[in-house]
């Protein structure tokens, strides 16, 4: 009898091993104990058979929305009862602008909600109103922000008592609609480079506002094209001197300039206004361009909190230099960034709600001779949406923390707190808006062809939100500010200085983060360890500390040959990665803190699950960095990935409750595919069946 062919036997065994390995991709062999339901996980049914948490949606919603829930409900109830003020899917630019103005005037005068009264005294309440208003129509949110945060905020924050006494009531009740004229055609991010001039004339006790060239035309100015009657104009203050120069540039200052007649609404003499036209999004906001030709305004129209001019043309300031005055001026305007970060999370909540509700409803394919299954039961759909849902929760708590810090800053004016809020707002605004912009496209794709219908909102949300990455500071520029502050803090750490609150971990743990990774903990792979907040925070902070230390070395090296500017540019991508890593560390720290503070056990358990998914997904995204320095051993990396997938399955099981916690009314999502009851009938009714 012939013996078996050993070569054929080896090939057969190899094929069996490969099939077994492939099958593990479909039904993962989890490295931690599971209950009976989890042991039966299969490709399609995995999520539905996993142990499901019980979530008290009402309790979790109360914890999430906090003390300003009532004012938000007042905003939403007002527009719910006024369907004629709800923005239709199809609307012309000019009609949208007029509707936006009616919405804002109605909110203030009819509903009796006065956002301006909270801008300084209770910023958290102001931002809560802004979130609710922006969810109704993003154009309305931006128009409200221009009126109260920018135009009104500049009067309150850069002016003095005389300005508040004169303008507060008119701004508050919408009799004085205004603009914020900072950006110019040739200068956006580089505000110190603006060219508009305000020259003082001592003979008439007036400032003369001039646009010296086309590049100095004020551009993209909200409220300018149609509705604005005033503008806060940023210009270089020029004072006459008795030396050979004859004039001195005192740096950028802000001036109140009337731009339209109160009775006729006609453009005032010397002012030229043009419409910036149809935009990619936010077409309910009337952006315009302003040119000034020898426009005279009273000396009192200088917003003089940080610098003043006397009747005889002498300049006085409590701050000793142009740079310090400029920094103080921009520091008072940081509220705009806070509002954008906060509002961007609101947009993400709406998009995630629509996509997840649809994914729970939509059924496609399934096992042979069995009913079709929800598309959210597919691992690929969970991979798209569950980490996004976790990030939405993480961003919610991080931006809530930012609002609280900003409120403290406005109350106490502590110098260290001002610096902390400035950097934190820059980083969160850049990080959150960039993430939301990418997520909006993912949500649209996750809803297939139905996501492409305008009525289901992804198009308008994406178009309206896109500019969030640019205005109130270009995201790339803002991240560089964060990196610059981190390097400053790094230097302070080794010189024994005081660190601001956000960077405390640099002092507390820099040495341990920069030491060699522990070869024992690098191999720990138990579920208890991987879900331990200490492991997660340490991993995030280790990465940030390594990036900070390495970029500091690179900058020092390149500065010798390229100079400081050239070295910065050579290391720019490294610096941006550092800033993003730091902001992720802050986000996770605030999420962990929020989980620990949650009083309701069921809500706390749900938040812990979501927080763990957020942390492990971020670690897995950058697993190469951790592997390169042996912070995570190969077996631990695999365990992180498998646990992340399992947590994603569990989050899918409570996804309905988690998005319902956002408490977004159907008329706000406005997407038929996201209606909580009988979505398909809403959709067919919309198209005329």
């Amino acid at each position: 009898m012939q013996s078996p062919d050993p070569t054929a036997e080896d090939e057969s065994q190899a094929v069996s091993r490969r099939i077994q390995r492939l099958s593990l991709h479909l039904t993962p062999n989890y490295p931690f104990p599971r209950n009976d339901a989890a042991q039966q996980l299969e490709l399609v049914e995995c999520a539905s058979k996993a142990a499901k948490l019980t979530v008290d949606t009402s309790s979790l919603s109360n914890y999430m929305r906090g003390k300003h829930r009532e004012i938000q409900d007042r905003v939403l109830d007002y527009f719910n009862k006024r369907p004629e003020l709800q923005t239709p899917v199809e609307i012309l630019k000019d009609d949208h602008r007029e509707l936006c103005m009616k919405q804002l005037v109605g909110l203030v005068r009819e509903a009796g909600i006065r956002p301006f009264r909270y801008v300084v005294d209770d910023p958290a309440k102001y931002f809560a109103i802004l979130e609710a208003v922006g969810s109704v129509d993003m154009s309305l949110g931006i128009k409200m922000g221009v009126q109260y945060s920018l135009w009104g905020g500049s009067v309150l924050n850069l002016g003095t008592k005389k300005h508040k006494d004169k303008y507060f009531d008119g701004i508050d009740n919408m009799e004085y609609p205004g603009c914020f004229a900072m950006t110019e055609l040739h200068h956006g991010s580089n505000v110190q480079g603006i060219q508009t001039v305000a020259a003082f004339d001592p003979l008439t006790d007036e400032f003369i506002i001039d646009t010296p060239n086309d590049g100095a035309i004020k551009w993209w100015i909200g409220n300018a094209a149609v509705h604005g009657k005033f503008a806060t104009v940023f210009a270089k203050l020029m004072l006459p001197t008795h030396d050979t120069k004859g004039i001195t540039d005192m740096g950028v200052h802000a001036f109140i300039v009337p731009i339209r007649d109160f009775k006729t609404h006609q453009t005032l003499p010397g002012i030229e206004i043009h419409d910036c036209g149809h935009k990619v999004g936010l077409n309910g906001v009337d952006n315009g361009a302003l040119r000034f030709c020898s426009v005279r305004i009273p000396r009192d129209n200088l917003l003089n909190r940080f610098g003043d001019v006397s009747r005889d043309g002498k300049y006085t300031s409590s701050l000793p230099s142009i740079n310090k005055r400029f920094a103080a001026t921009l520091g008072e305007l940081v509220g705009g960034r806070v509002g954008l970060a906060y509002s961007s999370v609101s947009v993400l909540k709406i998009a995630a709600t629509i996509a997840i509700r649809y994914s729970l409803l939509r059924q496609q394919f399934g096992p042979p001779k069995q009913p079709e299954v929800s598309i959210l039961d597919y691992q690929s759909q969970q991979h798209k949406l569950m980490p996004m849902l976790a990030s939405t929760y993480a961003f919610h708590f991080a931006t809530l923390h930012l609002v609280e810090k900003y409120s403290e800053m406005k109350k106490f004016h502590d110098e260290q707190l001002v610096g902390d809020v400035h950097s934190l707002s820059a980083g969160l605004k850049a990080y959150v808006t960039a993430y939301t912009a990418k997520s909006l496209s993912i949500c649209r794709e996750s809803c297939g062809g139905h996501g492409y219908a305008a009525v289901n909102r992804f198009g308008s949300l994406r178009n309206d939100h896109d500019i969030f990455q640019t205005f109130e500071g270009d995201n790339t520029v803002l991240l560089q500010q964060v990196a610059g502050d981190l390097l400053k803090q790094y230097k302070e750490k080794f010189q024994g200085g005081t660190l601001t609150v956000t960077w405390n971990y640099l002092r507390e743990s820099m040495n341990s983060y920069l030491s060699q990774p522990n070869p024992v903990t690098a191999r720990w792979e138990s579920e208890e360890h991987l879900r331990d907040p200490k492991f997660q925070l340490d991993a995030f902070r280790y990465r940030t500390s390594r990036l900070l230390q390495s970029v500091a070395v690179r900058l020092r090296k390149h500065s010798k040959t390229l100079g400081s500017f050239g070295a910065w540019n050579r290391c720019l991508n490294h610096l941006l990665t550092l800033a993003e890593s730091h902001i992720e560390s802050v986000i996770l720290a605030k999420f962990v803190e929020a989980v620990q503070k949650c009083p309701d056990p069921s809500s706390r358990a749900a938040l812990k699950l979501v927080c763990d998914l957020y942390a492990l997904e971020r670690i897995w995204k950058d697993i190469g960095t951790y592997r390169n320095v042996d912070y995570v051993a190969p077996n631990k990396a695999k365990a992180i990935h498998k646990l992340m997938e399992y947590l994603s399955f569990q989050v899918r099981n409570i996804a309905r409750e988690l998005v319902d916690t956002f408490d977004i009314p159907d008329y706000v999502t406005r997407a038929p595919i996201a209606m909580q009851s009988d979505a398909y009938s809403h959709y067919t009714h919309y198209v005329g069946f």
Side-chain angles (χ1 to χ4, degrees):
M1 187 174 177
Q2 192 174 10
S3 61
D5 183 357
T7 305
E9 189 174 316
D10 289 345
E11 286 180 358
S12 176
Q13 290 175 349
V15 169
S16 296
R17 282 197 302 272
R18 292 184 68 185
I19 291 172
Q20 185 178 14
R21 285 176 184 173
L22 286 170
S23 70
L24 287 175
H25 287 281
L26 303 180
T27 55
N29 181 21
Y30 293 96
F32 41 83
R34 295 173 293 157
N35 56 35
D36 291 341
Q39 289 173 350
Q40 299 173 21
L41 293 178
E42 294 179 4
L43 176 63
V44 174
E45 299 177 353
C46 54
S48 61
K49 290 186 178 180
K52 181 176 178 179
L53 289 172
T54 300
V55 182
D56 184 342
T57 305
S58 177
S59 175
L60 182 54
S61 183
N62 284 332
Y63 180 64
M64 294 275 290
R65 295 182 63 189
K67 62 182 179 180
H68 299 305
R69 180 174 189 155
E70 183 182 349
I71 191 72
Q72 289 188 320
D73 287 343
R74 281 181 60 196
V75 172
L76 297 174
D77 287 346
Y78 171 71
F79 286 105
N80 188 34
K81 293 172 182 175
R82 295 292 303 272
E84 73 278 9
L85 292 181
Q86 296 173 21
T87 308
V89 175
E90 298 179 42
I91 186 169
L92 298 174
K93 168 177 66 68
D94 292 345
D95 293 338
H96 196 179
R97 289 173 171 182
E98 289 309 311
L99 176 61
C100 245
M101 189 63 170
K102 287 178 183 176
Q103 289 170 332
L104 186 53
V105 170
L107 183 73
V108 171
R109 297 180 184 173
E110 187 177 337
I113 295 171
R114 298 295 181 93
F116 193 45
R117 299 179 184 184
Y118 309 117
V119 168
V120 172
D121 295 335
D122 192 353
K125 192 169 187 175
Y126 172 78
F127 290 124
I129 295 170
L130 184 65
E131 179 184 19
V133 165
S135 69
V136 172
D137 186 334
M138 234 183 291
S139 287
L140 174 59
I142 297 302
K143 195 169 187 72
M144 175 181 140
V146 169
Q147 174 68 11
Y148 295 128
S149 295
L150 298 182
W151 152 235
S154 64
V155 173
L156 295 182
N157 295 317
L158 303 181
T160 49
K161 185 177 182 300
K162 63 183 178 183
H163 300 109
K164 182 176 179 179
D165 291 345
K166 184 174 181 179
Y167 294 101
F168 186 93
D169 289 343
I171 296 172
D172 179 50
N173 63 23
M174 289 298 296
E175 287 182 10
Y176 293 175
C179 319
F180 184 82
M182 177 182 280
T183 300
E184 295 181 355
L185 183 59
H186 282 183
H187 288 89
S189 298
N190 182 14
V191 179
Q192 277 189 297
I194 63 175
Q195 297 173 292
T196 301
V197 172
F200 181 62
D201 182 353
L203 297 178
T204 61
D205 196 26
E206 294 173 318
F207 291 106
I208 304 171
I209 312 295
D210 257 313
T211 303
N213 55 63
D214 285 354
I217 295 172
K218 297 295 182 181
W219 208 271
W220 293 123
I221 310 304
N223 271 359
V226 179
H227 298 125
K229 296 183 185 296
F230 294 90
T232 294
V233 177
F234 288 80
K236 293 188 295 183
L237 171 58
M238 312 299 286
L239 294 180
T241 58
H242 299 293
D243 55 19
T244 53
K245 283 184 175 179
I247 197 164
T248 300
D249 181 355
M250 303 305 297
V252 175
H253 287 64
F255 304 82
I256 296 176
V257 182
I259 60 174
R260 285 187 174 93
D261 185 274
F262 253 82
K263 294 182 179 178
T264 66
H265 203 64
Q266 295 299 306
T267 304
L268 292 173
I271 295 172
E272 194 177 339
I273 303 177
H274 290 276
D275 196 324
C276 287
H278 200 276
K279 307 183 292 293
V280 170
L282 296 178
N283 281 298
V285 183
D286 52 314
N287 293 88
L290 300 171
R291 187 203 294 271
F292 304 97
C293 183
S294 299
V295 176
R296 290 179 172 269
I297 58 172
R299 180 168 54 88
D300 276 352
N301 284 27
L302 166 66
L303 293 171
N304 61 338
R305 178 178 172 188
F306 298 116
D308 204 358
V309 177
S310 65
R311 176 65 184 86
D312 58 358
K314 290 182 179 178
Y315 186 82
T316 56
S317 174
S318 58
L319 300 171
S321 68
I322 286 177
N323 285 340
K324 284 191 177 294
R325 290 193 293 271
F326 179 73
T329 296
L330 291 194
E332 285 298 321
L333 303 174
V334 75
R337 291 176 188 167
V338 176
L340 281 183
Y342 197 71
S343 297
S344 185
V345 180
S346 176
V347 176
L348 188 55
K349 288 175 184 176
I350 293 172
T353 297
I354 296 171
I356 289 170
R357 283 182 181 169
Y358 173 77
S359 297
L360 287 163
L361 168 78
R362 182 72 166 179
Q363 296 179 335
Q364 293 289 288
F365 306 109
K369 299 180 181 180
Q370 292 186 38
E372 291 184 304
V373 299
S374 161
I375 62 173
L376 197 56
D377 282 338
Y378 287 98
Q379 193 180 59
S380 56
Q381 194 79 343
Q382 292 169 12
H383 181 72
K384 291 176 183 177
L385 297 178
M386 295 304 96
M388 183 192 300
L389 179 57
S391 295
T392 306
Y393 270 78
F395 298 165
H396 169 86
F397 291 114
T399 53
L400 208 58
H401 166 71
L402 173 60
V403 168
E404 289 169 359
K405 285 293 176 189
Y406 177 77
S407 300
E408 285 181 37
M409 183 195 81
K410 299 301 289 182
K411 186 176 181 180
F412 299 113
H413 302 284
D414 177 77
E415 189 174 337
Q416 282 194 348
L417 194 55
V418 169
D420 203 28
V421 169
H422 185 269
S423 291
L424 187 59
S425 63
L428 281 174
K429 183 269 182 186
Y431 188 90
V432 171
T433 58
Y435 185 95
T436 299
K438 293 183 182 75
S439 298
L440 286 165
S441 289
I442 293 170
C443 286
R444 204 293 301 158
E445 293 165 16
S446 298
C447 294
H450 294 315
Y452 198 62
V455 69
N456 289 320
R457 287 206 72 188
F458 291 121
S460 62
L461 288 172
R462 186 168 54 186
N463 291 345
D464 286 346
H465 178 274
D466 193 62
I467 194 62
F468 279 40
Q469 300 173 93
T470 302
F471 60 24
E472 293 295 331
D474 174 85
N475 282 358
T476 303
V477 174
L478 294 182
L479 288 174
Q480 290 179 71
Q481 290 180 15
V482 176
D485 279 330
L486 281 165
L487 287 162
K488 180 182 175 184
Q489 299 291 336
Y490 177 76
K491 183 179 178 182
E492 287 283 328
K493 190 265 177 191
F494 291 107
Q495 291 180 348
T498 303
L499 279 83
T500 50
V501 177
T502 304
W503 288 272
N504 271 341
Y505 69 84
L506 292 177
R507 175 176 299 287
E508 295 167 358
S509 309
M510 177 69 86
N511 292 334
S512 63
Y513 289 142
L514 295 182
S515 62
Q516 283 296 109
N518 186 323
V520 177
T521 57
R523 285 164 174 76
W524 286 355
E525 56 180 279
S526 69
E527 179 181 2
E528 182 181 7
H529 168 66
L530 297 180
R531 297 188 69 175
D532 185 346
K534 185 180 185 309
F535 158 69
Q536 297 165 0
L537 285 166
D538 280 350
F540 276 51
R541 291 168 174 175
Y542 176 83
R543 178 184 56 171
T544 303
S545 298
R546 296 275 313 186
L547 286 165
L548 177 55
Q549 191 259 354
S550 58
V551 81
V553 171
R554 287 187 66 203
L555 285 168
R556 195 177 303 118
K557 171 189 170 184
H558 290 305
S559 292
K560 295 174 183 176
T561 55
L562 301 175
S564 58
F565 181 85
W568 187 271
N569 194 34
R570 174 66 66 88
C571 302
L572 189 51
N573 288 334
H574 192 158
L575 290 160
L576 297 177
T577 303
L578 164 65
E580 290 174 341
S581 177
H582 168 67
I583 292 301
E584 287 177 353
S585 297
V586 175
I587 291 170
L588 178 59
K590 292 301 121 187
F591 201 172
V592 168
E593 190 178 298
V595 173
Q596 294 169 347
K597 288 182 177 179
C598 184
D600 175 62
S602 71
S603 298
R604 187 165 59 251
L607 289 176
K608 179 69 171 73
L609 173 65
V610 175
C611 183
D612 289 340
L613 177 58
Y614 171 76
L616 294 178
E617 195 264 347
R618 292 312 312 152
I619 291 171
W620 178 253
K621 284 274 188 183
D622 206 15
I623 199 67
T625 297
Y626 295 108
R627 286 289 302 112
N628 285 343
V629 294
D630 289 325
Y631 189 84
V632 170
N635 64 311
K636 188 170 186 172
K638 291 178 181 178
I640 288 170
H641 185 248
K642 289 179 179 178
L643 177 56
M644 183 189 75
E645 289 186 340
Y646 179 66
L647 295 178
S648 187
F649 297 152
Q650 287 198 315
V651 171
R652 176 261 177 264
N653 275 342
I654 57 171
R656 163 71 74 176
E657 291 90 336
L658 289 173
V659 295
D660 286 352
T661 294
F662 298 147
D663 214 7
I664 301 171
D666 278 349
Y667 92 89
V668 171
T669 64
R670 295 207 301 276
I673 59 171
M675 294 298 176
Q676 296 187 62
S677 61
D678 204 10
Y680 279 126
S681 67
H682 284 285
Y683 200 16
T684 53
H685 176 73
Y686 170 76
V687 298
F689 286 99

